[in-house]
Amino acid sequence: MVLEAQALNKEIVFIDIDNTLWNFAGALYQKLIKNKYFVPAIEFWDWHFYKNYISDKEFKRIVNEIHLEQEKYEPFEYSMLFLKELRKMGFYITIVTDRINDSRYTTERWLVKNHLDFDKLIIAQNKKEFINNRVFLVVDDSPVMLSVALRKKVLYTGLEYSWNKTLKQYVPLWNNLKSLKEYVELAISGNPKKEVYL
C-alpha cells in the first residue's frame, strides 16, 4: 500500500467504516435488543459498554453477523461526497476496518454499491498496526486508534460519540462528515505536508 501511494505521489488517509461511513452503533443496538441483551441506550455507551451485559464471545458473534450483512445497510448521507472530496484533495484513500476476513466480500460490495470511493481496503483484526508515518490522516471514532495516532504524530479526527467525546481535549471531533471534510481542508492549507512527519 505504501509503495502504491508513493508511486502515485499521494498522501495516505485511513478511513474507518463503522460509525464513520455508516451508523454501525444503531445496527448493533437493534441486534443486541433483538437477542435479548438489554444494554443502555446508545447515548450512554462508553468504549466497553457491553461488558456487564454480554460475553466477549457473544458480542463478537453479533458484530460479525452485522458485518456479514453489511450490504443491507445504508451509509451516512454525506459519505459518498466526503470520499469524493478527499479524492479531489489528492489523497490515496485507504479504508481500514476491524473485521473478520470472511466479511471482505460483502464489505467491498457495499462500498462499490454505494459509490464510496477508495483505493485500498484493509480488513484486519488489529488495524492500529497499519498506522505509520506515511499516513497523513486517520478518520476514526476509536479511542484506541486515537492513542496510536497521537503517539505516531499522525493527524487524527472523527465523528463525535458518547464513547469518544472526552477526547475532544486532544483532537477535533465533529457532528457530521461535512464539517469533518471542512476541517481536513483547513488542516491541509494550514499544515504543509512535510511538517506532518516532524
Side-chain angles (χ1 to χ4, degrees):
M1 176 189 66
V2 170
L3 292 176
E4 292 171 10
Q6 285 176 333
L8 294 169
N9 195 29
K10 293 184 175 183
E11 299 290 348
I12 300 168
V13 291
F14 273 14
I15 310 294
D16 182 32
I17 294 180
D18 295 338
N19 299 314
T20 297
L21 296 179
W22 79 290
N23 184 17
F24 172 75
L28 176 59
Y29 180 75
Q30 293 300 321
K31 281 276 187 186
L32 290 170
I33 296 301
K34 183 178 178 181
N35 283 271
K36 310 287 192 226
Y37 296 109
F38 299 108
V39 298
I42 296 171
E43 58 264 31
F44 300 110
W45 286 7
D46 61 21
W47 192 241
H48 300 290
F49 74 94
Y50 64 91
K51 292 287 189 179
N52 293 325
Y53 303 90
I54 181 173
S55 70
D56 286 347
K57 182 178 180 181
E58 179 66 0
F59 183 75
K60 287 177 183 175
R61 182 192 71 76
I62 291 174
V63 168
N64 292 340
E65 185 177 295
I66 294 170
H67 289 156
L68 290 169
E69 299 173 345
Q70 183 72 60
E71 286 185 82
K72 77 181 204 179
Y73 298 105
E74 295 294 322
F76 286 138
E77 182 180 3
Y78 199 77
S79 292
M80 181 178 71
L81 289 174
F82 171 64
L83 293 172
K84 285 188 180 301
E85 289 299 315
L86 289 179
R87 171 74 68 212
K88 287 179 186 176
M89 292 178 210
F91 287 117
Y92 184 90
I93 301 170
T94 305
I95 305 293
V96 188
T97 181
D98 277 337
R99 300 179 177 215
I100 57 172
N101 201 51
D102 287 350
S103 69
R104 174 176 291 278
Y105 176 76
T106 188
T107 302
E108 193 159 350
R109 277 181 59 90
W110 180 80
L111 290 165
V112 172
K113 170 186 172 183
N114 290 290
H115 309 287
L116 300 176
D117 200 4
F118 68 100
D119 294 296
K120 187 88 170 180
L121 171 62
I122 295 177
I123 302 278
Q125 292 291 294
N126 192 1
K127 63 185 178 182
K128 65 179 183 287
E129 294 179 353
F130 292 90
I131 298 179
N132 57 54
N133 65 0
R134 281 288 304 159
V135 177
F136 177 85
L137 169 71
V138 173
V139 181
D140 203 299
D141 65 300
S142 164
V144 176
M145 288 292 280
L146 164 68
S147 64
V148 176
L150 287 176
R151 189 171 70 247
K152 296 191 176 183
K153 298 182 179 178
V154 173
L155 192 64
Y156 183 101
T157 189
L159 298 180
E160 181 180 345
Y161 294 98
S162 58
W163 55 86
N164 68 10
K165 64 183 179 181
T166 59
L167 304 176
K168 287 188 80 171
Q169 60 184 310
Y170 304 108
V171 295
L173 298 172
W174 309 95
N175 292 325
N176 57 66
L177 288 172
K178 187 174 186 204
S179 296
L180 195 155
K181 184 268 295 183
E182 291 167 357
Y183 162 74
V184 174
E185 288 175 330
L186 287 173
I188 293 172
S189 63
N191 295 289
K193 291 176 183 178
K194 65 182 180 180
E195 293 182 5
V196 174
Y197 306 115
L198 295 179

